[in-house]
Each structure stands twice: as C-alpha cells, then as structure tokens.
Amino acid sequence: MERAISIILMWLLPLQAWAGVWTVKSSVKATLQQAKAGDTIIVPAGVYYEKGLVIDKAIYLKGVGKPVLDGESKYEVVLILSSHVTLEGFVIRHSGFSDWKDLAGIKLGNVRHVTIKNNVLEETFFGIYCQQSDSCVITGNTLKSNANQRVQSGNGIHCWHCDGMQLIGNTVTQHRDGIYFEFVTNSLIKGNHSFKNVRYGLHFMFSHNDHYEDNVFDHNEAGVSVMFSHGVDMKRNRFAGNQGGGAYGILLKEITDSRMEQSHFEDNTVAIYMEGTTRVQVSENVFKTNGWAMKVQASCAENKITHNNFFGNTFDVATNGSLVLNHFDNNYWDKYEGYDLNRDGKGDVPYHPVSLYAMVADKNPAVMMLFHSFMVSLLDRTEKVMPGITPVNLVDRAPFMKPITL
C-alpha cells in the first residue's frame, strides 16, 4: 500500500509543477492563448479592449488592482466555454446591447464548476448570464447597469436550465430583473441585495427544490415573482419599499409545497400576493406598514398562515371569494380588540382579518379617499357584528394578544 501511495505522489508532483503562472504584459487574449489548462493568469491594473474574450480552457484569471475589461458597447466582454474556470477581481463594463441576442458582461455556456467572484460589472446588457451550466458559484459581485425600460434592458444574474448553482453575497441594481431563474433546480440564492431594478428584484419560474435566504429585495418596480414551481424554501428575506399600482413584496403564483418563513415585509403596496398556491407554509414573518399585508385569491388552498406578526398595515388580508380553503391560526394582529379571560396569551374571541372596506377598496380603489372616515368605521363594525359579505370562515380562532417573539 505504501509503495502504491509513493508511486501516485511521484506522478502528482510533476503535474503540480507543470501549472504555470502568467502575467499579462499587453493583451489578455494573447496570454490566454499561450497558457495551458490549470495555469493562473495575473492581469495587472489597466484598461483592456479585447473585443470579446473567450476562455476555453480551465484557468484561473485573476485581476490585481481591479483591471478593466471594456466591451466598447459592441461585444460580449467575457465568454466562458470551459469548466473549472475562476474569474476574479475585474471591472467588466460596456457590453454590447442587442434586441435579438443576449449579450452579457460574463456568459457561461454549458460548463461546470466555474467561479465568478469579487467582480464589478458596469453598464452591461445582461450582467452574468448562465445557460445549461451546473455547480457554479457566483459570489461577491456588484452589478449596476443603466436600465430605465424593461424592453431595452437585460437581467443582472440570469440562469437558464441550470442545476446546483450558488449565488451568494452579490449586489444587483438597475437591470430589468435583478436575478432571474428559469428551469433552475437544487440551487441557492443567499445574502444578495437586489434593488431599484425596473421590473423584479427576483424573477423565478419553473424552478424546483431551490432555496433563497437572507436576501434583501427593496424598491424594485414590482418586487419579487416566484411562479410555477414547487419545493421552494424562502427564509429570512426582506421585502421593502416595493410600491406602485401593480407592485408587491412577493407574488406567489402556481406554487406548491413551499415555505415562506422568518421574513420581513415593510412598506410594500401588497406584501404577499398569492394566486393558485397550494400547501405553502407562511410562518414567523413580520408584516409592517404595508398597504395590504396579504392578498389571498380564491384559487389558493391548503395554505397555512401561522405565527406571524401584523403591525400597522392598512389592510391585513383581502380575498376575492367567499369560500376559503386556507388556515389562519395563532397570528398576532394589532387590530384585534378581543380579550383573554383565561390568560393563556391567546384571544377568546376569533379575529376576522378581512374587513368589508378592504374588499370594497380592492375592487374600487377610488373609495380609498374615504379611508379613516366615520362611515367606513361604522361599516366595518357592523360587518363584524353581522357578517354578510366578508368570508365567515377566513378567521383566526386563537390570535395572540401580544406580538410573537421571533
């Protein structure tokens, strides 16, 4: 056995010695052509116009002093076609723009185990574009474009038909969608900040068994959209300041067997909009000063909304049907006016979070001018005593008397 190990080491040591380190003198592309798989290329500070850099071998391309790769607003700046590539420490700017071709600052095509880290991307059409790639890490990057219209802009980090991706600690702003997932499985989105994008902070479609946690999505035009997916775990995210006529913190559409937990929703027009969702657990979240905390459409069923705190929302819950197949249990509602005679910490009188005025305002926004009027208060109190329009079975039968410690 010892002899076998010695023979293996004798073969491995020369292989390690073959790995070379190159320092770019004038052209990154020329140096890349000379390097071999496994080599490291050091790129000093400066501005490099490479007219489209193609990396087709497993190398470590490292920038020192934030060298700039400039696409002159004509070219795809970096195209990676080999697995086991690391790209680190660059400013990548001025990619080409196109109405028919998805040009990017960095594009990955059918690769595995590629790492993109600690780069700055400026004024690119698409920022980092991954297609049919697996087990890649995108971490510590800052992406800022200048998008002002959806049709003339691309996404910040765009993943299509990928598996096992890790997007960690990136900052994305002023793209169409900050982060875009389509047909992406078994992947992680963690610790990212996606803000002031012209559509969604995160757009998530047909992507299953993924996790996104500890992210901040704020001041995007429409917030976050998660659609046509199952097995999605969403934890400890913050959704804030997503405001406008069609804006929400998050849209959950045709989602099944997923979880939304320990997240914070503040100052959104609608915090959570649920349509066609089934078996989604919404628990241990904070809903604060939103227009509507939750809009739960009649197409939703078997969802559990439990152990959440509702503070200062204009409306707590709205729905568009009388038949309610979801469960609201053991939440704290600051509008609750019941009592707790047995002192178990939970109200003795059930709480109906849907007000008559909320249902009217949802269908006729113009009536919001009557908000806080005596007539509105009278209508709501009458409805609580003699419910006739609001759904009777949308009720929290044991609401907490005090905010839940989360």
Side-chain angles (χ1 to χ4, degrees), residues 65 98 111 127 145 149 155 158 166 223 235-236 245 269 379 402:
S98 174
V111 296
S145 191
Q149 297 184 37
N155 303 320
H158 181 107
Q166 295 187 51
K235 295 181 180 179
R236 299 183 304 277
T269 300
L379 282 173
K402 295 181 180 180

Side-chain angles (χ1 to χ4, degrees), residues 141-373:
N141 303 284
T142 299
L143 300 91
K144 181 179 181 180
S145 191
N146 53 5
N148 52 35
Q149 297 184 37
R150 298 181 184 183
V151 296
Q152 296 177 345
S153 56
N155 303 320
I157 302 176
H158 181 107
C159 298
W160 179 77
H161 272 284
C162 297
D163 182 75
M165 305 293 284
Q166 295 187 51
L167 279 59
I168 302 173
N170 302 285
T171 299
V172 190
T173 187
Q174 290 185 259
H175 283 270
R176 180 173 60 200
D177 296 337
I179 299 172
Y180 182 89
F181 268 27
E182 186 173 5
F183 303 109
V184 179
T185 53
N186 306 307
S187 295
L188 173 67
I189 301 172
K190 183 173 182 177
N192 302 281
H193 185 195
S194 182
F195 66 103
K196 292 185 179 179
N197 296 289
V198 300
R199 188 169 64 177
Y200 299 118
L202 168 66
H203 193 179
F204 197 96
M205 299 178 65
F206 308 107
S207 297
H208 312 302
N209 304 318
D210 296 308
H211 300 258
Y212 72 90
E213 56 194 47
D214 301 308
N215 303 285
V216 177
F217 305 103
D218 66 289
H219 298 92
N220 300 289
E221 182 180 280
V224 170
S225 178
V226 179
M227 303 190 289
F228 309 108
S229 304
H230 64 256
V232 184
D233 279 350
M234 302 163 273
K235 295 181 180 179
R236 299 183 304 277
N237 299 288
R238 180 178 176 84
F239 307 82
N242 301 292
Q243 298 180 348
Y248 27 72
I250 185 168
L251 164 67
L252 300 176
K253 181 178 175 62
E254 305 298 334
I255 303 298
T256 60
D257 300 303
S258 299
R259 307 176 75 89
M260 168 63 74
E261 298 177 325
Q262 302 170 22
S263 295
H264 193 102
F265 297 85
E266 185 170 356
D267 295 334
N268 304 285
T269 300
V270 180
I272 298 182
Y273 188 103
M274 301 173 69
E275 180 178 340
T277 63
T278 305
R279 297 184 301 277
V280 173
Q281 177 86 26
V282 181
S283 62
E284 300 182 19
N285 303 288
V286 174
F287 297 88
K288 183 179 180 182
T289 60
N290 302 282
W292 281 266
M294 299 186 69
K295 284 190 175 182
V296 183
Q297 302 300 85
S299 56
C300 301
E302 299 181 59
N303 300 294
K304 294 182 179 180
I305 296 89
T306 180
H307 289 83
N308 302 283
N309 285 325
F310 292 82
F311 301 104
N313 303 290
T314 305
F315 305 113
D316 289 327
V317 180
T319 186
N320 63 344
S322 58
L323 179 62
V324 178
L325 302 175
N326 306 288
H327 306 282
F328 290 77
D329 300 306
N330 303 135
N331 300 283
Y332 169 76
W333 314 85
D334 66 345
K335 297 181 179 66
Y336 180 61
E337 297 176 343
Y339 47 83
D340 178 21
L341 294 180
N342 62 2
R343 300 186 180 181
D344 65 351
K346 297 179 182 178
D348 299 335
V349 179
Y351 177 65
H352 295 264
V354 179
S355 70
L356 174 59
Y357 184 53
M359 296 187 69
V360 174
D362 189 34
K363 296 179 181 179
N364 302 281
V367 305
M368 283 300 296
M369 68 178 64
L370 300 175
F371 189 53
H372 288 316
S373 70

Side-chain angles (χ1 to χ4, degrees), residues 73-110:
S73 300
K74 298 178 182 179
Y75 310 103
E76 194 150 64
V77 186
V78 180
L79 175 61
I80 298 176
L81 298 177
S82 172
S83 298
H84 302 285
V85 167
T86 297
L87 180 68
E88 178 183 8
F90 289 87
V91 174
I92 295 170
R93 71 186 188 193
H94 302 155
S95 75
F97 290 76
S98 174
D99 292 331
W100 59 275
K101 189 175 181 181
D102 295 337
L103 299 175
I106 304 170
K107 181 176 285 185
L108 282 60
N110 195 25

